[in-house]
Amino acid sequence: MTAGWIVFMVIVIVAVVLAVIMIVARIILRAVRRTAETAIATNFAPGEAVRSDPVANYFGLASKGGRQMRGNGALVLTDTRLWFRRAGADGPLEIPLASITSVDIVSSHAGKSIGRPLISVSFDDESAAWYVRDAAQWRDDILLRCPTASDK
């Protein structure tokens, strides 16, 4: 075997492994999306959700630091609350809009980052953050419903 042949085989093996990982990740994300859409339909009346994202990436609560479980799930904004249920979690995180003190776009939360903007919500001496597709629009929609909250 020549060195060129070995390099070629390593590249092929790495490409196949990466393809399998991407396929498995897509299958899992589809299952998370279906579960989250069912949770949204079960917990909210039609038209109650102002905004929703069935695959929001949760970065956790600031008070728990970097050791907590992060993951995707359903994030829903209504006129009265911000609701999140992580896939595989027992119960939802419910944040009454009246308790929100600030909403901000941040680059990291609880020591974690993905290089994309996150929506961060501070409430009751706590904060939580999510990666959602349109963080600025989420911030604006939350601020619109929380007149006492500040935009940092």
Side-chain angles (χ1 to χ4, degrees):
M1 272 195 188
T2 65
W5 179 250
I6 293 172
V7 169
F8 173 74
M9 290 304 292
V10 168
I11 290 171
V12 167
I13 290 169
V14 168
V16 168
V17 168
L18 289 175
V20 168
I21 289 171
M22 290 183 67
I23 290 168
V24 169
R26 275 200 157 167
I27 291 168
I28 291 170
L29 197 55
R30 279 190 203 140
V32 168
R33 178 182 292 275
R34 280 192 303 271
T35 302
E37 287 171 347
T38 300
I40 292 169
T42 301
N43 290 283
F44 298 93
E48 184 181 4
V50 174
R51 282 189 87 69
S52 66
D53 186 339
V55 290
N57 190 342
Y58 181 54
F59 279 67
L61 298 172
S63 64
K64 292 187 178 181
R67 295 187 194 158
Q68 64 193 303
M69 184 68 99
R70 193 177 116 178
N72 293 75
L75 180 63
V76 178
L77 172 65
T78 71
D79 285 327
T80 59
R81 65 186 165 148
L82 188 61
W83 183 91
F84 177 74
R85 182 164 188 185
R86 186 175 52 82
D90 291 333
L93 169 64
E94 295 193 52
I95 305 168
L97 296 186
S99 69
I100 294 177
T101 56
S102 67
V103 183
D104 194 17
I105 303 293
V106 298
S107 59
S108 67
H109 182 78
K112 299 175 184 176
S113 175
I114 58 169
R116 295 181 180 159
L118 310 173
I119 181 77
S120 174
V121 176
S122 298
F123 58 99
D124 300 331
D125 297 324
E126 182 63 274
S127 67
W130 295 266
Y131 168 70
V132 290
R133 283 215 170 137
D134 193 354
Q137 188 62 53
W138 273 88
R139 179 196 59 212
D140 294 346
D141 286 345
I142 295 168
L143 285 170
L144 182 66
R145 286 157 182 81
C146 299
T148 59
S150 67
D151 176 17
K152 291 184 180 179

